[in-house]
Amino acid sequence: MALATGSRSPDARRPRARLWMVFASVGLGAFVLALLGLVFLRLYDDQLVRQTESELISQGVVIAEVVRAGLRERVGEGYGLSAFVPPPAPLSAESGLRPVMPSLRASAPVLPAAEAPPRALLPVDAQVAPLGETLSALVTEVGRATLAGIRVVDFQGVVVASNHTDVGASLVAREEVRAALRGEPRSVLRQRFSTATDAPLASISRDAGVRVTVVLPVLEGRRVWGAVVLSRTPMTLAKAVYADRWNLSATGLVLLSVVALMSLAGAALVVRPVRALVRQTRDIAASAPEGFSPVAHPVVRELAELSESLAGMAVALRDRNQYIRSFAANVSHEFKTPLAAIQGAVELLRDSADQMSGEQRERFLANIDADARRLTRLVQRLLELARADSLVARPARTDVAPLLEALAERGRAEGLSVTVEPASAGHVLALPGEVLEDLLWQLVTNAAQHGGEGVHIQLEAQPGRVVVRDDGRGISEANRARVFDAFFTTAREKGGTGLGLTIGQSLLRAFGARLELLPDEGRGAAFAVVQEGAASVPATSGRFPR
């Protein structure tokens, strides 16, 4: 069954995501993926630099130990320099571990490229020179396997062994070498002299713009006997990606699948309900029954509310259309009878006026006048109904007690028996005074018109409502079901149009109130003007589609 305007679907209590939450989730997901990509690239770049640094540290530690073992056999106590920087403390007294941890990052400061070292002014230390040839052979073989540049310097910074041709050169001008000769391991990034052409991705050559340099001191207690200088170009991101292309491709496929799933989720949350709304609007345009029910399980709250509003609008339009058709049929019927009577009387007068007596002509003219007056009253009441339907309510409050006393005086002035049940002071209704007065007077005149001879009318102010009660003939059970129908009247011969209660109902609806026919108590009839939200006894409601 279609829902009325403003009503909710049966599953409206189910929690639904709002539309902004859907778009925020999709945007946040895309942002997180992009951020993860940037973090991955930065971490990957850092990892490449640290991987090269770790490799050089491991090589340098081994070579430094070889140098220290070789010098221990050739030098005496007091050889070398005093270390200004204390050696690193062991991780624990039991283990005695002193790891040299990599510390470089891709964002670390880059020092200028190292120029070719100059020849040393001092000769190689005589105690170290015999070890140089053996060490040169060792570092040359290591360099061939690791592709690293390796040099061993004495405590004066003079190269004693190298896999290059710079034995006898001085490296003391380099800050990292000076730090190592003070006893402090040092790792730095230096610019690299670029080659004419870049190496292919599949080659083992690296074409990064920097070189990682690691300098480890050769320590014997608190004495520095020399240092090991190692350098290597780190792997570039492009080469690393190429080398790890299959794993990265698999990762990319996973990310692509995640993005596809997010897109499908967005489609399920937004696109599917939107398409369902489009179908609903088409069904409404075609007057199909499906258009009068909200979309099932729209997930998003705004779309659910929109669908419910569309369904309510469709129901309201359908009811209004049915009301207009019924109203038009009733209006045409009400106008047809007096128009037919007027037309018949005019034709008779035109054809037979000369043969009629003055009394007959007067009777026909009186009928025409009565029917014309009835049409005038109908037009006037229809205009009043149109104004009531289009009335814009404004906040108002009316004190009921003085209004009821004024109505009773007005009724008694016209010969009616009207009394007022005493009302408490300060009893107010949220209705304009003129609207409440016109409606109550309509109920009073209806009671006088339909109640019979000697009918007594009583006005009562009750909490949240005003009751107009009479002790007349009452309303039959059949008529009680039709009393609020437009154009229904049992006093047509007295000029009744059957629109009074309909107009009153429309007026009250604009102010959030209603008109009720109270239950039959055995004699007379009772109508109540009830403020919405106020407690009332069971009644036959006078609600009508607008």
Side-chain angles (χ1 to χ4, degrees):
M1 182 177 178
L3 301 180
T5 305
S7 61
R8 294 181 177 272
S9 59
D11 61 345
R13 293 184 179 180
R14 293 180 54 190
R16 294 191 180 100
R18 290 189 175 273
L19 193 58
W20 68 265
M21 294 180 182
V22 175
F23 288 113
S25 299
V26 174
L28 182 61
F31 172 76
V32 170
L33 287 178
L35 187 62
L36 288 177
L38 292 176
V39 172
F40 168 77
L41 290 177
R42 173 55 64 184
L43 293 178
Y44 203 51
D45 212 4
D46 288 343
Q47 182 61 29
L48 293 176
V49 172
R50 290 189 177 183
Q51 179 181 355
T52 302
E53 184 184 5
S54 298
E55 294 171 356
L56 295 178
I57 289 174
S58 61
Q59 299 169 39
V61 169
V62 173
I63 296 173
E65 186 60 31
V66 171
V67 172
R68 188 165 69 92
L71 288 176
R72 190 181 292 122
E73 300 174 356
R74 291 177 170 80
V75 301
E77 188 175 352
Y79 177 78
L81 302 173
S82 295
F84 290 95
V85 179
L91 296 179
S92 64
E94 296 79 10
S95 65
L97 299 176
R98 293 183 175 88
V100 180
M101 304 301 296
S103 60
L104 288 178
R105 301 170 62 94
S107 58
V110 179
L111 302 179
E115 301 289 342
R119 295 297 299 176
L121 299 178
L122 300 174
V124 176
D125 184 74
Q127 300 180 76
V128 182
L131 189 61
E133 294 182 5
T134 304
L135 291 176
S136 292
L138 173 65
V139 298
T140 298
E141 291 302 320
V142 173
R144 287 174 180 173
T146 62
L147 304 180
I150 306 173
R151 297 176 178 86
V152 179
V153 300
D154 62 10
F155 64 87
Q156 303 174 101
V158 180
V159 178
V160 298
S162 174
N163 58 354
H164 297 285
T165 59
D166 52 2
V167 175
S170 176
L171 299 182
V172 75
R174 301 182 184 181
E175 61 178 70
E176 63 270 22
V177 175
R178 292 197 301 272
L181 295 179
R182 293 194 299 268
E184 178 187 2
R186 182 64 65 87
S187 300
V188 297
L189 291 177
R190 283 191 175 274
Q191 291 182 351
R192 172 177 174 266
F193 289 110
S194 59
T195 57
T197 58
D198 292 334
L201 291 176
S203 70
I204 62 174
S205 298
R206 300 175 178 179
D207 53 4
V210 296
R211 285 181 70 87
V212 178
T213 299
V214 175
V215 187
L216 301 177
V218 179
L219 295 172
E220 178 64 23
R222 295 297 303 273
R223 306 294 293 181
V224 179
W225 285 357
V228 180
V229 183
L230 307 97
S231 64
R232 176 92 196 271
T233 303
M235 181 76 78
T236 62
L237 184 61
K239 284 182 174 291
V241 170
Y242 179 79
D244 203 24
R245 57 189 179 278
W246 300 118
N247 290 334
L248 292 177
S249 298
T251 304
L253 289 176
V254 172
L255 291 177
L256 185 61
S257 301
V258 171
V259 172
L261 289 176
M262 290 180 62
S263 300
L264 291 176
L269 291 173
V270 178
V271 177
R272 184 187 62 81
V274 168
R275 290 178 177 173
L277 285 174
V278 172
R279 290 194 299 270
Q280 182 183 8
T281 56
R282 291 174 178 171
D283 292 337
I284 291 174
S287 298
E290 294 78 7
F292 300 99
S293 299
V295 173
H297 312 300
V299 181
V300 179
R301 180 179 298 181
E302 286 84 356
L303 297 180
E305 293 175 354
L306 177 58
S307 178
E308 292 165 0
S309 298
L310 286 174
M313 179 190 69
V315 172
L317 290 176
R318 181 189 61 188
D319 293 345
R320 177 172 285 274
N321 186 43
Q322 293 174 352
Y323 172 71
I324 291 174
R325 289 183 179 180
S326 175
F327 190 81
N330 289 330
V331 169
S332 64
H333 175 75
E334 292 294 325
F335 274 68
K336 184 186 299 182
T337 300
L339 285 176
I342 291 173
Q343 185 177 8
V346 169
E347 290 178 353
L348 285 174
L349 288 173
R350 180 182 294 119
D351 295 338
S352 308
D354 295 339
Q355 291 80 25
M356 290 182 181
S357 64
E359 182 181 353
Q360 289 177 325
R361 285 195 301 272
E362 188 62 29
R363 186 172 67 252
F364 279 114
L365 290 175
N367 290 338
I368 293 174
D369 180 66
D371 287 332
R373 291 178 182 273
R374 174 170 176 74
L375 289 176
T376 301
R377 286 194 301 272
L378 280 173
V379 171
Q380 182 179 358
R381 298 300 270 173
L382 289 174
L383 290 175
E384 293 175 0
L385 179 60
R387 285 194 294 269
D389 279 339
S390 60
L391 179 67
V392 177
R394 299 184 184 277
R397 294 174 65 85
T398 300
D399 193 351
V400 175
L403 179 63
L404 297 186
E405 292 292 345
L407 285 173
E409 290 294 332
R410 180 179 175 184
R412 287 191 287 268
E414 296 193 12
L416 303 178
S417 176
V418 183
T419 59
V420 178
E421 186 75 15
S424 59
H427 185 175
V428 297
L429 288 180
L431 291 170
E434 62 274 12
V435 172
L436 184 59
E437 181 180 6
D438 289 346
L439 182 58
L440 292 177
W441 182 249
Q442 175 72 36
L443 295 176
V444 169
T445 55
N446 281 356
Q449 189 178 47
H450 299 279
E453 295 291 335
V455 64
H456 177 72
I457 305 167
Q458 181 172 301
L459 304 178
E460 303 175 7
Q462 301 176 0
R465 64 180 184 171
V466 177
V467 178
V468 178
R469 193 186 307 274
D470 67 68
D471 59 355
R473 292 190 295 264
I475 303 174
S476 67
E477 194 63 33
N479 288 342
R480 289 179 67 87
R482 301 181 58 195
V483 70
F484 288 107
D485 290 351
F487 299 105
F488 173 76
T489 180
T490 58
R492 196 175 303 275
E493 69 282 355
K494 299 179 181 179
T497 60
L499 290 175
L501 296 181
T502 303
I503 295 171
Q505 196 69 278
S506 295
L507 286 172
L508 291 177
R509 187 185 299 113
F511 294 94
R514 65 183 183 275
L515 185 61
E516 292 183 354
L517 173 60
L518 300 183
D520 188 1
E521 297 180 353
R523 180 169 178 78
F527 288 87
V529 177
V530 181
Q531 194 77 51
E532 290 289 352
S536 63
V537 297
T540 302
S541 176
R543 293 179 179 272
F544 279 91
R546 296 182 64 182

